[in-house]
């Protein structure tokens, strides 16, 4: 029996407050979506839903997985229905792109459940006491043994879930997952074993939980920034730290795609306790289409000064299989130093490969991280 996998990636992720689709944000050296696709590699044909504004970048990330990209609809339900029309196998797994920690064991459990019972809904036991609230008071406390935390993937026989979605069209109900549609029109779905580790990326803090805390002396503040972009733009160069460097493919991005400068800006803003660059320079704003990131860095430096901080030093690390960067480092340092108003000696830039491993190692894109040290001045408290 052949399996299709629908990866839902057409949402906006507004609760993450990143100013862009959270699945394109960096997670441990790659876009979050890359990790999700990697988890399902080898299980069947993947169909990824994407909003119109994200199609170019998502297509670039999907290409090495031979994953098909389907334009999403106004709602998750619409997006899934669009993707179902492209499924050709016997079994369909539907998974939230924001659950990149799903394991192969969980996926196998889901497929096995569909083969045996016609459906498989991954779920984890509830460990907290859950209360039904009414007017700010506890109205009821269900027994934990009867509760399950529903996750994805959720698996079905293709014809059953297609029929359920067809019947649900225009019924006026709001469905937050696929098991709800199946339950309403086909029957009670079967639960299979999930895991508490199969968590969903919802808030910005979910992305940084894997990084260790940074400590600073009194009157100082340290910030960490990370960014990543995929190759796929039709231009013969990449822009890194303000330098145009020849390359066989450009980086897909709303601005000039200057990955290390974006990481540096986020590090500065993070140290000052401000929002990230997606808030100040959203990719939904035409003003920043193709924007010069060095100029944006200057604005960020002015912003942290208005908050009463002075930049002490900045360290940037770049991971890329291509292009080779060693001969460009001095010019890159000079560009960043001028924008930040620092001596070049207080800017550190290092570059390396990922030894053929992961998103960067497979030559799919470039990742950068940055750490900034700020010092409080006599300005704003």
């Amino acid at each position: 029996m052949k399996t299709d996998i629908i990866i839902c990636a057409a949402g906006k992720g507004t609760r993450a407050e990143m100013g862009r689709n959270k699945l394109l944000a960096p997670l441990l050296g790659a876009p979050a979506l890359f990790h999700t696709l990697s988890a399902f590699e080898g299980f069947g044909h993947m169909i990824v839903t994407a909003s119109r504004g994200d199609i170019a970048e998502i297509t670039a990330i999907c290409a090495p997985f031979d994953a098909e990209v389907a334009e999403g609809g106004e709602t998750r339900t619409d997006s899934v229905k669009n993707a179902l029309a492209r499924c050709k196998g016997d079994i369909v797994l539907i998974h939230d792109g924001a659950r990149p920690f799903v394991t192969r064991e969980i996926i196998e459990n889901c497929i096995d459940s569909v083969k045996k019972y016609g459906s498989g809904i991954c779920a984890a036991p509830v460990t907290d006491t859950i209360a039904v609230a009414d007017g700010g008071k506890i109205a009821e406390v269900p027994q934990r043994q009867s509760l399950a935390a529903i996750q994805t993937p959720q698996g079905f026989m293709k014809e059953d879930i297609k029929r359920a979605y067809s019947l649900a069209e225009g019924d006026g109900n709001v469905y937050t997952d696929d098991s709800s549609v199946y339950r309403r029109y086909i029957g009670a779905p079967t639960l299979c074993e999930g895991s508490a580790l199969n968590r969903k990326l919802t808030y910005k803090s979910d992305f940084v939980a894997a990084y260790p805390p940074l400590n600073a002396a009194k009157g100082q503040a340290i910030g960490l920034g990370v960014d990543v972009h995929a190759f796929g733009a039709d231009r013969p160069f990449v822009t890194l730290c303000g330098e145009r460097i020849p390359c066989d493919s450009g980086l897909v991005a709303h601005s000039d795609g200057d990955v290390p400068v974006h990481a540096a800006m986020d590090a500065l803003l993070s140290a000052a306790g401000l929002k990230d660059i997606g808030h100040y320079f959203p990719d939904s704003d035409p003003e920043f289409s193709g924007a010069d990131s060095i100029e944006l860095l200057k604005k960020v430096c002015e912003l942290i000064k208005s908050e009463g901080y002075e930049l002490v030093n900045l360290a940037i690390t770049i991971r890329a299989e291509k292009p080779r960067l060693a001969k460009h480092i001095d010019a890159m340092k000079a560009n960043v130093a001028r924008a930040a108003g620092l001596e070049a000696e207080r800017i550190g830039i290092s570059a390396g490969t990922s030894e053929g491993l992961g998103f960067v190692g497979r030559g799919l894109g470039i990742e950068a991280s940055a750490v900034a040290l700020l010092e409080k001045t006599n300005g704003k408290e």
Side-chain angles (χ1 to χ4, degrees), residues 295-310:
E295 293 301 313
L296 300 183
L297 175 60
K298 292 178 183 178
K299 293 181 180 181
V300 168
C301 289
E302 292 170 0
L303 182 57
I304 65 163
K305 285 181 181 179
S306 72
E307 293 293 315
Y309 286 101
E310 178 181 333

Side-chain angles (χ1 to χ4, degrees), residues 18 22 148 152 225 322 324 379:
M18 292 182 172
K22 63 187 176 184
T152 64
K322 61 179 182 181
R324 296 300 181 184

Side-chain angles (χ1 to χ4, degrees), residues 241-252:
C241 294
E243 283 294 298
R244 284 193 173 188
I245 301 170
C247 189
D248 60 9
S249 177
L251 294 170
V252 180

